Amino acid sequence: MTSERSVPPTISEVAEAAGVGRSTAARTLGGYGYVSPELRERVLAAAERLGYRANALARSMSTGVSQTLGVIVADIANPFFGGVVRGISDASRARGFDTLVLSTHEDLDEEIAATNVLIDKRVDGIIVASAALDVASAGHIEQARARDIPVVLVDRAVPGLDLDAVVIDNRAAAREAVVRLLDAGHRRIGFVWGPPVQARPRRRRELIDIASKNLWTDGERLQGYLDALDDEGIVFDADLIMVGAKTEENAQAEVTRMLDLPEAPTALFCTENDAMTGALRALRARGLRVGADVSLIGFDDSSWAAVMEPPLTMIEQPTLALGARAAEVLFAAIDGEAGSTGLHTLVTRFVDRASVAPPPR
């Protein structure tokens, strides 16, 4: 049973209670250097009696090891990132590490500030779902590496940055989804969650160029959509691509605009949950039935998609596995076992439910 006191005990007091020198107590409580099993047991028993709790920052300054991983994600409230963080946390806990999570709202300035916080906290490694679009905007990541802090990307790569990235094959997953719609007979397929620009690109080359300068995942999914259309010889139609702010409200507005076209889409491919929610609101406002009137496929399967009426056909990402694999790659780097860097690609699963049907006659 620990004693009650207002002032936390010091290492010197633990050493005195255990009958050992201060350096022996410090090595035991700091987890570094050699201490005999007998002395270690005495120190730990004394620390428990006194209610000693190690100062993590002081320990990291003396040992160079904080036993902490830093994680930076775009939005911790997003169920996708929640699953990724859980995968990281479970793997981290198994190694005796703590996990410090920061959310950036997909804002690069917030990401830079978060990275600086983790550097100051002397974390042993960082996993980041980065908003950086290229090497020029990834200086904060290079700064962490310059401090000998290993960094692993998760969910998205940063083109030109020589780092491990744990991802899915976004392009192949998107292509498969659109192929499913094409196989059902659809030829007018809207893409919901396109480039965040106001002027709608009219030429295919311009669209791809703009997408390549934005978030890696978005560009890959758009390219998969175009791949599927190419396979069927269907000419790309700029009016079927959402542009503008990546918000649920804009997704609803853009889908409403598509529904007003002389040749409205008979199917929609939504590449984020907010895009799906905006599309559903637009269809409901028009009194259109999912599946019967407009078919729908989304990314990031979740429990709510299964209980919709009708249940929604979705692409399921292995969120826990993405996080666990990112932690595994990071621990290899921390342990000095990392090899050549590159993409670590995990497999998605197509969840076929009831939101896809042939186009109405």
Side-chain angles (χ1 to χ4, degrees), residues 103-119:
S103 186
T104 66
H105 309 97
E106 207 72 84
D107 183 280
L108 186 59
D109 288 337
E110 289 193 35
E111 181 182 316
I112 293 169
T115 303
N116 289 332
V117 167
L118 296 179
I119 291 173

Side-chain angles (χ1 to χ4, degrees), residues 222-235:
L222 178 57
Q223 188 63 67
Y225 165 85
L226 295 173
D227 290 343
L229 297 183
D230 290 344
D231 291 344
E232 289 293 315
I234 297 175
V235 177

